[in-house]
Amino acid sequence: MRILSVHNRYQIGGGEDVCREAEATLLREKGHQVETYDDHNDRITTLGQLDVALNTVWSKHSYQVLKQRLTEQTFDVVHVHNFFPLISPAVFYAAQAVGVPVVLTLHNYRLMCANAYFFRAGQVCEDCMGKWFPWPSLVHGCYRGRMASGVVATMLATHRALGTWTHQVDRYITLTEFTRRKFIQAGLPADKIVVKPNFVYPDPGLGQGGGHYALFVGRLSPEKGIGTLLTAWNQLGHHLPLKVVGEGPLAPQVMAAAAQNPAIEWLGPRSLAEVYTLLQGATCLVFPSEWYEGLPRIVIEAFAAGAPVVASNLGAMSTLIQPHQTGLHFQPRDATDLVTQIQFLLEHPALSQHIRQQARIAFEATYSAESNYQQLMDIYTHLS
């Protein structure tokens, strides 16, 4: 097949970028021709505020370039991973104009929530759910203040009015059943939404967990539960060192915590190969996220490496993590409960080894490249 993979890259790379690249690599290795169309948020600095606002609602440039490309070459499918903000929903109309079916992977909650997280003021927020115009996002300035929130709200309302989400996308991919239910609740057509999880490729391989440290990997931002994580390690003492991998707005807070607590080490951003090595040696991965998440890639990377996952019992994590099988749950935003679960894991080494084996089994059954490839081909071949 010939696939055009479309993605608007973020200024700070994350799981969406990695998932897109892994999928494209896998498809190429299976003999398919994958071409890409990318934009990057670094380009925002070269545009005026009005241009950014207009492009968010409708990018004339993206429409013209994509339509020309789809006209000059024959593609079987356009697979969009992220269109926000610079590519815009114009990509869907460009594909429809030349009769190429469109698949959109819903990596986050942008179609329902201006900040894409369902997270505000330190807790889950669904105030905009189901509203034709998501006015609460303007009141609270959920996406970079009221002006930027107004732009996102206008984009969402405009394309609801145009029927973009109903008629211009042939198939939506959600990463878990939890997120599928949320999008149906928000009004997306249920018969167009399928569940296909992320996958890990290449396979890091099963580790032994002999490094005696806990590991956090992710964006250092409030919704990721960084405050809860640092508070827990101040309570835990020196029973288990914590290695923190990532960057983000709360990096200064992590640096300060590491300076005051020798059990905390901030490693900054690391390559995928380095993260895999850290996962293989980790006693556990700590995942204290305080928003619903989609399907965090780091969690299934931990499964692949056999690292038990200690995660907040919230949203997709509630079903993704099976207690005493692939990890343990703690109550969201409850640092004391997180400490309790870490101590439980340390006090039960036999259970820890059992979890390592079961996590690897879960990876091989559901999150491997081969399993994912078969699911993706089924989606592509049933578009018409």
Side-chain angles (χ1 to χ4, degrees), residues 330-359:
F330 71 94
Q331 290 303 308
R333 298 178 295 280
D334 189 336
T336 300
D337 193 27
L338 172 55
V339 170
T340 298
Q341 301 308 317
I342 295 292
Q343 290 175 330
F344 182 84
L345 195 65
L346 292 174
E347 292 166 1
H348 296 82
L351 174 63
S352 181
Q353 285 303 114
H354 170 75
I355 291 175
R356 298 191 74 85
Q357 295 167 4
Q358 293 302 309

Side-chain angles (χ1 to χ4, degrees), residues 359-372:
R360 178 66 191 187
I361 290 171
F363 161 73
E364 292 175 350
T366 308
Y367 308 109
S368 67
E370 191 58 38
S371 171
N372 204 273

Side-chain angles (χ1 to χ4, degrees), residues 40-82:
H40 199 293
N41 281 357
D42 283 347
R43 193 165 67 85
I44 290 175
T45 59
T46 67
L47 302 172
Q49 288 186 342
L50 179 59
D51 286 337
V52 173
L54 293 173
N55 274 279
T56 299
V57 179
W58 180 271
S59 172
K60 183 179 179 181
H61 171 77
S62 294
Y63 178 83
Q64 291 175 337
V65 172
L66 283 162
K67 184 179 178 182
Q68 181 177 358
R69 190 163 176 184
L70 293 169
T71 301
E72 293 174 347
Q73 302 179 61
T74 300
F75 289 94
D76 297 294
V77 61
V78 172
H79 191 152
V80 181
H81 286 268
N82 178 41

Side-chain angles (χ1 to χ4, degrees), residues 97 162 285 336:
L162 291 173
L285 175 79
T336 300

Side-chain angles (χ1 to χ4, degrees), residues 270-293:
R270 293 297 171 109
S271 69
L272 185 60
E274 290 174 304
V275 169
Y276 281 178
T277 299
L278 287 165
L279 281 170
Q280 289 170 329
T283 300
C284 63
L285 175 79
V286 184
F287 195 79
S289 191
E290 296 174 8
W291 71 291
Y292 285 150
E293 294 283 352

Side-chain angles (χ1 to χ4, degrees), residues 109 117-120 122-126 176 178-179 181-182 222-225 228 287-296 299 309-323 328-334 337:
Y109 299 101
Y117 296 138
F118 275 148
F119 183 84
R120 180 178 62 80
Q123 60 186 356
V124 170
C125 171
E126 296 187 13
T176 66
F178 174 84
T179 53
R181 292 195 299 267
K182 284 295 178 187
E223 74 279 359
K224 292 295 186 178
T228 300
F287 195 79
S289 191
E290 296 174 8
W291 71 291
Y292 285 150
E293 294 283 352
L295 176 57
V299 170
V309 181
V310 182
S312 50
N313 192 7
L314 179 69
M317 289 89 74
S318 298
T319 55
L320 181 61
I321 310 300
Q322 297 296 317
L328 297 171
H329 282 138
F330 71 94
Q331 290 303 308
R333 298 178 295 280
D334 189 336
D337 193 27

Side-chain angles (χ1 to χ4, degrees), residues 11-14 216-221 224 226 244-252 254 266-270:
Q11 288 179 305
I12 297 178
F216 171 90
V217 180
R219 178 173 165 79
L220 306 182
S221 53
K224 292 295 186 178
I226 301 301
V244 178
V245 174
E247 58 184 340
L250 296 187
V254 176
W266 180 46
L267 301 178
R270 293 297 171 109

